[in-house]
Amino acid sequence: MNEALLRSLTPSVLAVLVRRGADFAAAEDAVQDALVEAIRVWPADPPRDPKGWLVTVAWRRFLDSARADAARRRREDLVEEEPVPGPAPAVDDTLQLYFLCAHPSLTPSSAVALTLRAVGGLTTRQIAQAYLVPEATMAQRISRAKRTVSGVRFDQPGEVATVLRVLYLVFNEGYSGDLDLAAEAIRLTRQLAAAIDHPEVAGLLALMLLHHARRAARTAPDGSLVPLAEQDRGRWDTESIAEGVQILQAALARDRLGEFQAQAAIAALHADAPTAEETDWVQIVEWYDELARLTDSPVVRLNRAVAVGEADGPRAGLAALAALDDSLPRHTAVAAYLHERDGDLAKAAQLYAEAAHKAPNLAERDHLTRQAARLNARRCR
Amino acid sequence: MAKYLLLKHYRGAPASVNNVPMDQWTPEEISAHMQYMRDFAARLEGTGEFVDSQALAPEGRFVRSDGAGRPPVTDGPFAETKDLIAGWMVIDVDSYERAVELAGELSAAPGAGGEPIHEWLELRPFLGSQHTTTE
């Protein structure tokens, strides 16, 4: 069975049910039931018309549960009504689903879970496994999210920016367990880009593709991090890079710059350099300046300090760093790197060790500990 | 979306406000305390924030390898060990502020006299996974 096909059909099947008059929460449950049924039945008995099959099964499920409700609530008019079939603008419906699942009234984790289920077609179990929480917890998170958006009209236009933030969160989660969330985020962003013509959607898709292209080179076989400068560029996925660059160029040409396009531009400049030494750091600093104007984020200014260190030398980088709050995450790690480049190995080793202590995740902590150990070993020789 | 560990100590944490040892509570007070913990966990499951909860026996042993082909060496329990974990709860929440809020609620579980214990809970963030775009 083709699970990718099954999942790609999810939003349009859900949209059919909603269009026929089902409320979003009930329709979403019915589609989820149909997906689980398809996973069970299709391998032995593949349908000729997968979407038609899903719509039929989901609609039947919806009617069953609506009847059960109606028996309780005496609300039989909707149930007896025959569905009004017929073609409809599926693309717009998909877009509405994105808006609904990323609605600003949802917390980020609820929006992520609802998007993965209702738009992504993942089962509650798969989402729970990916985020390392019990299935019962994830089921509750999703049903609360649906209750939260239950009053939102399905045809209300939403904000693209909120959708992009949700997809960016999914992408950044990477992959844990069986589910590749980065690949899923790319699929969902690609589908969104097909539904709406918006330069920041294109910018995010380009950014994801450019980062994803380096994934194989980013970790050593033992799982440790490989810094950008030391990556085997032969292992970068050139097809992904080419696609990302092309999408980015088309977006930039429209002259409506946003933060994802600017981030993608930086990723593209890295991807473009045949060797680390040939990286165009001057242009990267310019893009960071642009990004700082767009977002005013301290993390951006921290990354800018690294780029300044490469473009104008470590002293200039340290000067840029001195202007920033040293309680910023990764501030110490950046200071360690710049001091090493400046030749102060003792100070760098001490700062790497300190940065390792503060690292927010295991891979970074191990990486920074190794950096400290490497410098300490060199100094002792 | 971050996981936090709420650690409850038998000893090693600063003294609670309502600091009467459990063996001096009435049986009803103990039941009320247990019920509060169960209700709290059930509520977090309902909000989609519950991950895990476990209680630990107060006495444990220390174990270490004694080299290949030899059985591990055990030692303890050490009565003088300063820090003793009583149990934990793992939560998955949207922010540090939310984690603090929940730890505060858990700390208010009822103790002697039915009054909140106001015990100190240790709040520790999990080391997360590497984020793709912070290369």
Side-chain angles (χ1 to χ4, degrees):
Chain A
M1 180 192 49
N2 187 343
E3 201 186 318
L5 167 72
L6 180 62
R7 302 235 309 276
S8 69
L9 294 172
T10 307
S12 58
V13 172
L14 179 50
V16 170
L17 266 66
V18 170
R19 215 158 44 229
R20 286 180 179 179
D23 72 284
F24 170 71
E28 206 280 329
D29 278 335
V31 172
Q32 175 84 180
D33 283 349
L35 291 177
V36 170
E37 183 71 2
I39 290 169
R40 196 175 67 81
V41 171
W42 286 14
D45 185 14
R48 250 178 315 173
D49 172 13
K51 184 177 166 183
W53 189 99
L54 284 170
V55 168
T56 305
V57 172
W59 183 248
R60 205 182 296 140
R61 290 294 164 110
F62 166 71
L63 287 183
D64 287 348
S65 74
R67 271 194 199 101
D69 279 355
R72 279 198 305 272
R73 296 188 218 156
R74 296 229 151 272
R75 215 186 41 187
E76 314 211 24
D77 45 339
L78 170 69
V79 180
E80 297 313 324
E81 219 173 85
E82 270 304 295
V84 198
V91 166
D92 286 348
D93 285 335
T94 301
L95 186 59
Q96 287 309 325
L97 269 181
Y98 277 93
F99 287 143
L100 188 65
C101 294
H103 196 267
S105 62
L106 295 169
T107 62
S109 55
S110 314
V112 160
L114 191 56
T115 299
L116 287 175
R117 202 172 108 144
V119 187
L122 292 167
T123 64
T124 303
R125 173 175 300 189
Q126 284 173 311
I127 304 168
Q129 280 172 353
Y131 285 94
L132 306 172
V133 300
E135 194 176 340
T137 294
M138 191 52 81
Q140 287 296 336
R141 195 178 288 179
I142 290 168
S143 71
R144 273 172 74 93
K146 289 202 286 188
R147 279 202 299 280
T148 303
V149 297
S150 63
V152 180
R153 281 177 48 138
F154 191 66
D155 55 3
Q156 246 167 5
E159 267 226 57
V160 172
T162 59
V163 177
L164 297 183
R165 270 197 294 277
V166 169
L167 296 174
Y168 187 65
L169 276 178
V170 175
F171 181 74
N172 257 327
E173 201 60 38
Y175 51 105
S176 52
D178 293 336
L179 188 65
D180 186 343
L181 286 174
E184 182 62 14
I186 290 176
R187 188 180 74 79
L188 293 178
T189 309
R190 207 187 275 284
Q191 191 174 278
L192 178 65
I196 186 172
D197 184 21
H198 191 293
E200 275 294 89
V201 177
L204 179 61
L205 179 56
L207 175 67
M208 288 177 176
L209 288 166
L210 289 162
H211 270 287
H212 203 60
R214 298 205 290 263
R215 181 156 89 174
R218 197 179 291 136
T219 38
D222 66 359
S224 60
L225 287 185
V226 183
L228 189 51
E230 290 161 31
Q231 286 173 16
D232 174 1
R233 292 174 186 231
R235 297 185 65 208
W236 288 359
D237 175 357
T238 47
E239 231 172 86
S240 231
I241 291 173
E243 191 194 355
V245 167
Q246 195 199 346
I247 291 171
L248 174 66
Q249 281 171 342
L252 289 174
R254 302 180 48 189
D255 210 19
R256 277 168 57 203
L257 190 62
E259 66 173 295
F260 289 121
Q261 293 169 77
Q263 279 197 56
I266 292 165
L269 284 167
H270 285 301
D272 219 27
T275 64
E277 294 70 32
E278 289 167 86
T279 307
D280 188 346
W281 286 105
V282 174
Q283 238 198 105
I284 288 177
V285 172
E286 286 170 11
W287 276 110
Y288 273 121
D289 288 338
E290 200 72 65
L291 201 49
R293 267 195 291 280
L294 289 165
T295 67
D296 194 37
S297 138
V299 176
V300 166
R301 287 199 292 271
L302 193 64
N303 288 331
R304 184 184 168 277
V306 178
V308 168
E310 301 292 348
D312 304 329
R315 289 287 163 88
L318 284 166
L321 190 65
L324 302 177
D325 181 355
D326 62 8
S327 68
L328 278 175
R330 301 192 176 82
H331 186 282
T332 313
V334 170
Y337 176 74
L338 291 170
H339 278 292
E340 182 188 352
R341 301 265 307 179
D342 193 37
D344 189 346
L345 301 193
K347 176 132 197 170
Q350 179 218 322
L351 286 169
Y352 274 130
E354 202 183 304
H357 189 73
K358 295 183 197 162
N361 64 63
L362 262 179
E364 265 181 68
R365 187 177 72 185
D366 291 350
H367 174 71
L368 292 164
T369 307
R370 269 175 231 269
Q371 298 299 310
R374 174 177 56 81
L375 292 184
N376 286 329
R378 203 197 293 175
R379 283 163 54 230
C380 291
R381 264 208 310 269
Chain B
M1 278 166 288
K3 289 192 182 65
Y4 286 88
L5 179 68
L6 308 185
L7 267 185
K8 190 182 165 81
H9 294 246
Y10 280 120
R11 58 171 182 262
S16 311
V17 174
N18 181 5
N19 200 21
V20 181
M22 212 167 190
D23 54 17
Q24 291 166 31
W25 301 1
T26 66
E28 294 73 34
E29 284 164 2
I30 294 175
S31 300
H33 179 82
M34 295 308 175
Q35 190 60 44
Y36 184 96
M37 307 298 270
R38 276 195 298 273
D39 290 348
F40 183 80
R43 192 155 54 80
L44 286 200
E45 197 167 281
T47 58
E49 296 173 311
F50 177 81
V51 179
D52 184 36
S53 170
Q54 293 293 331
L56 294 176
E59 278 196 358
R61 310 275 281 178
F62 280 80
V63 182
R64 71 161 172 85
S65 152
D66 200 32
R70 304 166 66 130
V73 183
T74 63
D75 203 353
F78 299 108
E80 70 276 18
T81 305
K82 271 193 285 184
D83 196 66
L84 201 55
I85 305 295
W88 68 72
M89 186 174 284
V90 178
I91 56 176
D92 187 32
V93 292
D94 272 300
S95 65
Y96 168 74
E97 289 70 24
R98 176 65 178 157
V100 170
E101 181 187 349
L102 290 175
E105 283 179 35
L106 188 59
S107 153
E115 292 300 310
I117 307 177
H118 289 170
E119 67 185 323
W120 291 95
L121 297 174
E122 191 178 354
L123 182 62
R124 303 267 305 267
F126 275 43
L127 284 177
S129 50
Q130 157 77 4
H131 278 194
T132 313
T133 51
T134 51
E135 187 172 358

